[in-house]
Amino acid sequence: GQQLNQSPQSMFIQEGEDVSMNCTSSSIFNTWLWYKQEPGEGPVLLIALYKAGELTSNGRLTAQFGITRKDSFLNISASIPSDVGIYFCAGFFLYNFNKFYFGSGTKLNVKP
Amino acid sequence: EAGVAQSPRYKIIEKRQSVAFWCNPISGHATLYWYQQILGQGPKLLIQFQNNGVVDDSQLPKDRFSAERLKGVDSTLKIQPAKLEDSAVYLCASSLETPPPGFVGLSGANVLTFGAGSRLTVL
């Protein structure tokens, strides 16, 4: 099946630092999604991107839909302890029966 | 709007026993998905329904897993008999029916909403 390469796998940062993670694909997508998952919970949608080149912000989070439609990045500015969790990217291809493909996740640890 | 409901949240069984998980998607969401998430990995699609029809079950271990969505609303995922490697979180998700071409940019479309998951431990 479709592979999404998400990096880095994990990050250990100090509170207040900025974070960047990205996702690449061998195929194009119509939609890129970024989710956060905390222990014992399902993934929660953070940002949805629908157009190539689109840059969208949600508070301290900023994500971009790559121009080639094969990549996306998520930035978190001024990290805080509650940012801890696993961040997943997901790609959606319209003409493939509503199928979503997931990255393997980036585990974020924030030290107070 | 109410989210995706799943039950039970936790289940512990012995190998070779059976288990069933239930999911009620967001009202109006035609597409329902069951994912398996093993610790440290991203969600892996098991089965996808469009209304009450199966769109994709290519990764469902059909010798032991079954799923149904009889009335096109809620769904049940069953494992019988369970194996040790089935220990995982089973996530249900739903999405709006894909809009027709030309409406790809519709905000809220092409988005998966997940339930809290059902954590299965097989001993």
Side-chain angles (χ1 to χ4, degrees):
Chain A
Q2 178 62 254
Q3 293 282 345
L4 292 190
N5 298 308
Q6 187 172 348
S7 65
Q9 267 191 318
S10 63
M11 305 180 75
F12 292 82
I13 62 170
Q14 199 75 30
E15 181 177 1
E17 290 183 352
D18 296 344
V19 170
S20 185
M21 59 192 78
N22 68 80
C23 218
T24 60
S25 166
S26 56
S27 301
I28 62 172
F29 288 117
N30 301 102
T31 302
W32 279 97
L33 308 170
W34 285 93
Y35 288 86
K36 179 187 177 187
Q37 187 174 27
E38 298 186 20
E41 300 296 329
V44 173
L45 181 69
L46 298 173
I47 290 180
L49 302 157
Y50 295 102
K51 291 168 60 175
E54 179 181 359
L55 185 71
T56 297
S57 293
N58 179 7
R60 294 178 296 105
L61 277 60
T62 302
Q64 184 158 32
F65 193 139
I67 290 290
T68 65
R69 297 170 65 188
K70 293 183 179 182
D71 63 316
S72 177
F73 72 74
L74 174 71
N75 288 343
I76 305 173
S77 62
S79 58
I80 58 178
S82 61
D83 290 333
V84 167
I86 303 177
Y87 292 79
F88 290 99
C89 62
F92 174 85
F93 184 52
L94 181 62
Y95 299 106
N96 192 20
F97 302 105
N98 305 6
K99 200 163 287 187
F100 293 83
Y101 299 90
F102 282 85
S104 54
T106 295
K107 187 172 184 179
L108 179 63
N109 297 278
V110 179
K111 187 176 180 182
Chain B
E1 60 180 3
V4 176
Q6 287 191 248
S7 67
R9 288 295 311 274
Y10 305 94
K11 190 75 176 178
I12 301 174
I13 61 173
E14 295 189 349
K15 60 183 179 183
R16 291 188 288 273
Q17 287 187 324
S18 63
V19 63
F21 302 113
W22 173 83
C23 171
N24 193 25
I26 291 175
S27 177
H29 280 197
T31 310
L32 184 149
Y33 309 76
W34 283 101
Y35 286 87
Q36 181 192 59
Q37 187 177 29
I38 292 173
L39 189 64
Q41 298 181 17
K44 170 192 161 188
L45 181 66
L46 291 175
I47 188 166
Q48 177 183 340
F49 292 94
Q50 181 82 12
N51 297 307
N52 60 349
V54 176
V55 173
D56 183 359
D57 63 356
S58 58
Q59 298 197 79
L60 187 74
K62 298 181 187 62
D63 57 333
R64 299 181 300 105
F65 286 65
S66 64
E68 59 185 16
R69 193 185 184 198
L70 294 175
K71 297 181 180 177
V73 180
D74 57 346
S75 175
T76 303
L77 175 71
K78 295 179 181 176
I79 307 174
Q80 181 181 13
K83 291 186 175 181
L84 296 177
E85 59 261 35
D86 297 333
S87 293
V89 175
Y90 291 86
L91 294 165
C92 180
S94 67
S95 69
L96 283 173
E97 185 170 356
T98 303
F103 290 88
V104 173
L106 182 65
S107 178
N110 307 348
V111 168
L112 265 182
T113 302
F114 284 91
S118 295
R119 179 176 294 276
L120 174 66
T121 302
V122 182
L123 303 176

